[in-house]
Amino acid sequence: MTSGYYITTPIYYVNASPHLGHAYTTIVADVLARFHRQRNHKTFFLTGTDEHGDKIVEAAGKGGMNPKDYADLISGQFRALWPELNISNDDFIRTTDSRHVKTVQLILKKVYDSGDIYFGSYEGHYCIGCERFYTEKELVGGLCPDHQMPPEYRKENNYFFRMSRYQNWLIDHIERNPDFIRPERYRNEALAFLKEPLEDLCISRPKSRLAWGIPLPFDENYVTYVWFDALINYVSGLDYPEGEKFESFWPDAQHLIAKDILKPHGIYWPTMLAAAGIPPYRHLNVHGYWNIDQSKMSKTVGNIVKPLDLKDRYGLEPFRYFLLKDMVFGLDASFNEEALIQRINSDLANDLGNLVSRITTMAARFCGNRIPEPRELFDHDHRLIEKAGDTRKDVDRYFGELAFHKALAAIWDFISLTNKYVVETEPWNLAKDKLKNGRLSTVIYNLLESLRIIAILIWPVLPQTSGLILKQLGESPVEADFEKVIRWGGLNPGTPVQAAPALFPRIEKQKETRPVKETENKREKVEAGPELKPEITYDDFARLDIRAAQVIEAEAVPDSRKLIRLKIDLGFEQRTIVAGIGGHYLPAALVGTKIIVLANLKPQELMGVRSQGMLLATDGINGLTLLTCDKEPILGGRIK
């Protein structure tokens, strides 16, 4: 790259504590920064807080504080949150920082001296929540469209920025650079704004009404309008105009925002830059809302989700994964904890966690805890190696498109193929035949190498998990040459391998209770679940032949939505059983899993497949969960 990669979050307004929406934007910025650092791109990641304006004075007053102390308090909450979420920002800027104040006043003076700021009077509908004037046309039923509150009608003298002078320039720039604002829906929205005549922007507030702001350098009786102040952080954070960071990073500036602040970033900011003689940013990347019960998160509504609550309850990396996987960037998404738990149990515990545990356990059992030397390659091997290369290309492409959910889906497709490779190559059978030791070495090497590639690819989203997997493979979690390490064949034979503990324990909710029911004299709380069945004798139980087994093959039964054909190893024999768990488990994720089966159930045919036994499972909060053992069982061992 000829210049650096520069990613910014909005600087968050300190009128309220951080919530899920703030966490999402910042985690996305962190993931992008990590992605580019990993690929050896010179990267700078800026976040911070916006601390001036009417809303801060109002919030501080309600808390019995002065604006500066209040801003220090809330800004400190944001600053403290980011390390908790493993955010790797390079700088944290505050609009009360002296460096920022200096840059704002420098740009104001520059634009004023060029004739693009003038003094005039204005009257209109002013929303304190938005800190802006609305036209009659913009109001909805006389209310602010965002806050659903009637604005105040104000008339006062102020300074104005000749934004209208740059309307045609901005239209032309957007049309000549189709990805200037992305996704496309927000580019179209910005162009729709610009179809109407662009009014000049009021950029001051009289100190007689609002003293909490940056004084205008050409009139001490006025302070700067909060947006004209806040937006400039993106260049003051780079030490504009003469800082080396500005020269290195501004040419590839990437702003990351939620859709509610499209107009200030897509209209005000580029015209301000043009007036100041600064080239426009490279991209404005706009995401949707996280909705709770179909409503945007709002302090007013009272549906705020606190990120630290989720991180502490479910773990940081599952929380990061869920946010990236379940929101299509640019569209709204609905948050609920059931979906988060499902992601943890399915994608992380079943797919990735089980794969890592299974492969490292086989390496320990069959290869003496060492990476073996690979030998001759066959078709199964070539398909796996080719898929690893294709996955890397897909991940790079999807990150470039901000399609994080697709990038993760591509990685999980590779995880699925790796599970399938285990089924196809049957390393447990290869280990029984000494003549096949060479083939076994190749298979185990390829599985371990697949884990290494997976760990490298998940690093931007799951850096801690990536580091744990690489450590188990004897690899450093930080590599300097990405193009080298991403190539197949990076593992060194003979390196010790550590068997992996569970990376992501399944989440089980506390036992639910039935709804409280009324009786004649009292209310009873009854535990969930049916009444116990009639008692049986020990002799009845002794007739059941319940044994431990291992799944060695698994595939969906054709034309069935939930039946899975399982080939199991009972130690003394292999047999086929059919289980109705397709709605709860992916076939590939079951391979290698230790299960409990009823072995002497009378055989029966299900969907054309003869089933010799029954897999045992129980109801879980999120569907069926398999019965298994807390220690390594002997295959074929009876349950006593």
Side-chain angles (χ1 to χ4, degrees), residues 54 121-128 130-136 138-139 144-145 151-160 199-206 209 225 227 263 268:
D54 284 312
S121 62
Y122 189 84
E123 58 183 303
H125 304 280
Y126 186 81
C127 173
I128 293 178
C130 297
E131 303 211 42
R132 58 163 287 203
F133 286 97
Y134 278 94
T135 64
E136 291 278 2
E138 290 175 311
L139 298 176
C144 164
E152 296 180 8
Y153 194 84
R154 290 182 176 176
K155 180 178 181 180
E156 60 188 22
N157 295 325
N158 268 307
Y159 285 89
F160 293 81
E199 294 185 353
D200 291 342
L201 181 66
C202 179
I203 61 155
S204 69
R205 300 292 183 262
R209 178 167 65 79
Y225 168 50
W227 275 115
K263 188 171 185 180
Y268 302 172

Side-chain angles (χ1 to χ4, degrees), residues 178-194:
D179 61 351
F180 179 62
I181 300 173
R182 56 185 186 174
E184 185 180 7
R185 68 181 61 231
Y186 300 111
R187 170 182 179 270
N188 294 338
E189 190 173 327
L191 288 172
F193 286 145
L194 294 167

Side-chain angles (χ1 to χ4, degrees), residues 2 7 24 78 143 170 186 229 241 303 359 364 402 423 505 552 580 595 605 634:
T2 56
I7 183 70
Y24 172 75
F78 280 93
L143 304 178
L170 181 56
Y186 300 111
D229 162 2
N303 60 351
I359 292 174
L402 305 181
V423 176
I552 55 178
I595 60 174
E605 191 168 294
I634 296 173

